[in-house]
Amino acid sequence: MTNATPTAQLSDAGVSIWLDDLSRERLASGSLQKLIDEKNVVGVTTNPSIFQAAITSGSDYDAKIAELAAQGAGVEETIFEITTTDVADACDLFAPIAAATKGVDGRVSIEVDPRLAWDTAGTIAEAKNLYKKVDKDNVLIKIPATLEGLEAITATLAEGISVNVTLIFSLDRYCAVINAFQSGLELAKENGHDLSTIHSVASFFVSRVDSEIDKRLDALGTDEAKALKGKAGVANARLAYQVYEQLFSTERWEVLTKAGARTQRPLWASTGVKDPAYPDTLYVTGLAAADVVNTMPEKTLDATFDHGVVTGDTITGTYAESKGVLYALDALGISYNEVVALLESEGLDKFVASWKELLADVEGALATARKAS
């Protein structure tokens, strides 16, 4: 293990490395394939912000937009076509990994329109449309873990569609997500689906927790407060892994396992360090354990590959210490519930804002293409 690269060591520790990015350029240039070959990348996640950046940052999509403009396509139809095409092509690239891992890895995620996050019926319909359009076994449909999203998660899984549950910040909501997942599999079983073909991950966000809590600790300014900086994100995620261990060792889960079900793996998201004072691999090497996914922006992936120090499982056995961090924050008057509620709201607002920017940019590109023709 000492001779292997840090990303290979991370994989050996049970962590699936997924890239938190996708673009036409990555697919066409071979850079994504290179990350698969050299840095142990075995999946991809996308979100509205990633697509907004990809589509508006260069000319890779100009020809397709011009083609769709000539066909009379509207802005939403154009975005749907472009994003699902990229995801379908990425699914083809990762198909050998999906086959080798029986669908556990080799996954590519695409998110429902973020404006539907509070619309259960709309989310279910959009999830079905995305799944049908991409038409690849290794796609994951991303659904935010809002209260309205929980029912949509269950209903989508019940149709035999694999799901990436996103924007999870709180331990209570994570418990509800696992319940929604298991309920979905129970319904899928009733509907006659093969449970072994239904996969799911639960995306638990990390760095944003530190960003918000550190801001509050700085405002307090005491030595006690400063000593807690940079500890909440990892502690919260480690306690999520404890929840995972507990809720996937129940009698309810045992019944589903016997029917072929696979666990919904925790996925560490938002793993790029926001504070330059912290080690740039903090949310990678500090969150290694069996059966987890870490989806990284390329900068974090490169840092991990270059100088990550992987010491095996860094989660198991940390639960008492992690609870101590949350208790200490509470004692300082920092409300965990208030923080996680704010982060969910801000996360959704950010995705909606990115989506609206994308709509405006693509509308402008369609108008330009129509004039040119």
Side-chain angles (χ1 to χ4, degrees):
M1 188 167 165
T2 52
N3 294 324
T5 65
T7 54
Q9 293 171 2
L10 200 61
S11 298
D12 289 342
V15 180
S16 292
I17 299 170
W18 292 4
L19 179 71
D20 192 30
D21 196 31
L22 182 64
S23 65
R24 173 60 33 191
E25 189 276 331
R26 278 196 185 281
L27 290 161
S29 68
S31 71
L32 184 54
Q33 181 65 58
K34 191 175 181 184
L35 294 179
I36 294 170
D37 295 339
E38 297 179 2
K39 296 184 180 177
N40 305 89
V41 169
V42 291
V44 157
T45 50
T46 68
N47 61 45
S49 299
I50 285 170
F51 278 128
Q52 192 269 336
I55 294 170
T56 60
S57 63
S59 60
D60 294 300
Y61 298 90
D62 289 357
K64 187 64 177 177
I65 289 173
E67 177 190 327
L68 289 164
Q71 294 170 7
V75 62
E76 300 209 15
E77 182 185 348
T78 299
I79 292 170
F80 187 79
E81 187 68 33
I82 287 172
T83 56
T84 53
T85 297
D86 278 4
V87 168
D89 289 348
C91 282
D92 286 340
L93 186 67
F94 281 97
I97 294 172
T101 61
K102 297 183 178 177
V104 173
D105 284 314
R107 292 276 164 181
V108 184
S109 296
I110 185 168
E111 189 162 338
V112 297
D113 183 334
R115 296 170 299 175
L116 298 170
W118 305 273
D119 178 353
T120 301
T123 294
I124 296 167
E126 176 85 347
K128 290 179 181 177
N129 286 340
L130 287 169
Y131 179 72
K132 184 178 179 183
K133 177 65 175 175
V134 175
D135 195 26
K136 304 291 180 181
D137 290 340
N138 53 329
V139 70
L140 285 175
I141 306 302
K142 278 179 91 171
I143 299 175
T146 56
L147 290 173
E148 296 84 356
L150 294 173
E151 187 180 336
I153 291 158
T154 295
T156 302
L157 289 160
E159 296 287 332
I161 298 172
S162 296
V163 172
N164 176 344
V165 183
T166 190
L167 281 174
I168 308 169
F169 294 95
S170 84
L171 297 169
D172 283 347
R173 186 62 56 83
Y174 182 39
C175 290
V177 165
I178 294 175
N179 178 62
F181 166 71
Q182 296 187 4
S183 296
L185 289 192
E186 286 161 352
L187 289 171
K189 183 183 172 188
E190 288 178 23
N191 292 338
H193 292 288
D194 178 356
L195 298 192
S196 69
T197 66
I198 304 173
H199 295 261
S200 185
V201 291
S203 297
F204 202 88
F205 280 54
V206 188
S207 68
R208 295 187 199 181
V209 174
D210 275 336
S211 296
E212 180 59 33
I213 287 180
D214 282 0
K215 192 163 56 177
R216 297 174 186 225
L217 291 168
D218 282 337
L220 290 172
T222 64
D223 289 342
E224 190 180 10
K226 289 174 186 173
L228 287 168
K229 285 189 66 178
K231 293 186 176 179
V234 167
N236 196 39
R238 286 171 171 173
L239 292 173
Y241 192 78
Q242 183 184 32
V243 169
Y244 164 76
E245 289 181 317
Q246 290 170 343
L247 294 187
F248 285 102
S249 59
T250 62
E251 287 183 18
R252 179 189 187 189
W253 180 245
E254 189 178 344
V255 171
L256 286 164
T257 299
K258 287 177 180 175
R262 299 173 182 272
T263 59
Q264 179 188 57
R265 292 186 295 167
L267 178 151
W268 310 132
S270 182
T271 56
V273 171
K274 306 290 193 292
D275 188 333
Y278 300 151
D280 52 7
T281 62
L282 175 65
Y283 305 121
V284 177
T285 57
L287 292 172
D291 302 319
V292 302
V293 180
N294 194 307
T295 186
M296 309 177 198
E298 189 169 21
K299 186 177 177 183
T300 303
L301 174 65
D302 289 345
T304 302
F305 181 82
D306 179 66
H307 53 260
V309 179
V310 180
T311 56
D313 186 339
T314 52
I315 297 179
T316 308
T318 65
Y319 306 140
E321 177 191 345
S322 298
K323 284 176 184 171
V325 170
L326 299 191
Y327 289 146
L329 290 167
D330 184 65
L332 291 177
I334 294 175
S335 168
Y336 176 85
N337 290 335
E338 182 185 310
V339 167
V340 294
L342 175 66
L343 289 172
E344 179 184 299
S345 176
E346 287 182 345
L348 288 165
D349 287 347
K350 179 183 176 185
F351 282 167
V352 170
S354 293
W355 199 254
K356 287 180 177 177
E357 284 180 40
L358 179 57
L359 286 166
D361 289 337
V362 172
E363 182 63 70
L366 283 169
T368 300
R370 289 187 196 108
K371 284 177 187 174
S373 63

